[in-house]
Amino acid sequence: MTIIYIHGFASSGQGGKASLFREYFEEELIAPSLSHIPKLAIDTLEQLIEVLLEKDETVGLVGSSLGGYYSIYLANKYDLKAVLINPAIYPYKTLDKIGTVMNYYDGSSFEVTNEHIQTLKGLEVQEIQTQENFMTLLQTDDEVLDYNEAVEKLSESELVIEEGGNHSFENIESYFRKIYSFLDN
């Protein structure tokens, strides 16, 4: 099995959470650093998934925040299993007011444009085909996103709701075994 870790907005495949996943899952994990441009990020992920599927690999996705939004789209498109960590459900609303943003990992800055917002709207999955393909990990004190949006959208997924926490999902490593077991089933 190959697990693709999809980082959140303004983060990196070298960020803190990605590093924890890489340390635990070792060579089974790919954590690409994706473009801040949604169209390029999705194109990179689609190419990666298609190459792995052509090699008859089992592919599982783990997406955090915006990476969770991308994971919903990709899992729905390719019929894959996905673990969503505090996923963004409506990123085109959350990011709509943002202009210049700084990357949390390397300090570089970039612009969020109207074209990016429109691309994100276009990636929205109105109706998730197979909610059993999803495990959704949420912490109620997420300071960036309202966890209730994910509960509503993914009500038939395997929901894990923890009181407290934050947007990064405190102690995510305590779920690594459960994540692997879910993706490998």
Side-chain angles (χ1 to χ4, degrees), residues 26 30-31 44 61 65-66 82 85 94 122 134 136 150 162 174 178:
E26 298 178 337
I30 299 172
T44 298
L61 306 176
S65 191
L66 181 59
I85 304 166
T94 314
F134 294 90
T136 309
E162 260 190 25
S174 67
K178 187 176 179 84

Side-chain angles (χ1 to χ4, degrees), residues 3-137:
I3 299 168
I4 302 172
Y5 176 82
I6 306 172
H7 64 75
F9 178 73
S11 191
S12 161
Q14 301 297 318
K17 203 175 319 152
S19 296
L20 289 172
F21 272 89
R22 189 177 284 108
E23 194 175 296
Y24 184 85
F25 292 100
E26 298 178 337
E27 39 314 309
E28 286 181 285
L29 186 95
I30 299 172
S33 291
L34 299 167
S35 173
H36 67 275
I37 300 168
K39 195 176 287 184
L40 294 179
I42 285 294
D43 184 54
T44 298
L45 293 165
E46 287 177 335
Q47 287 182 51
L48 182 56
I49 289 166
E50 288 170 12
V51 165
L52 291 167
L53 292 176
E54 282 173 21
K55 293 179 177 182
D56 285 328
E57 279 282 331
T58 300
V59 177
L61 306 176
V62 175
S64 180
S65 191
L66 181 59
Y69 184 75
Y70 290 161
S71 293
I72 292 169
Y73 171 80
L74 295 163
N76 214 50
K77 178 175 181 176
Y78 294 102
D79 193 28
L80 303 174
K81 285 194 153 193
V83 175
L84 312 174
I85 304 166
N86 286 334
I89 301 300
Y90 307 108
Y92 50 85
K93 292 179 184 175
T94 314
L95 300 175
D96 202 21
K97 298 166 188 68
I98 294 178
T100 302
V101 177
M102 192 165 86
N103 182 294
Y104 302 120
Y105 179 71
D106 66 11
S108 63
S109 62
F110 59 91
E111 293 290 319
V112 174
T113 68
N114 189 47
E115 183 181 343
H116 298 164
I117 301 302
Q118 295 310 312
T119 300
L120 289 172
K121 280 183 184 175
L123 294 172
E124 184 173 15
V125 175
Q126 297 297 327
E127 194 172 323
I128 296 172
Q129 292 170 12
T130 314
Q131 287 217 12
E132 306 82 60
N133 279 353
F134 294 90
M135 175 192 288
T136 309
L137 304 175

Side-chain angles (χ1 to χ4, degrees), residues 141-161:
D141 285 350
D142 184 332
E143 69 281 7
V144 177
L145 302 170
D146 179 355
Y147 79 97
N148 290 299
E149 293 175 346
V151 171
E152 187 179 318
K153 178 94 175 180
L154 296 146
S155 61
E156 295 173 40
S157 72
E158 184 175 328
L159 276 173
V160 177
I161 304 170

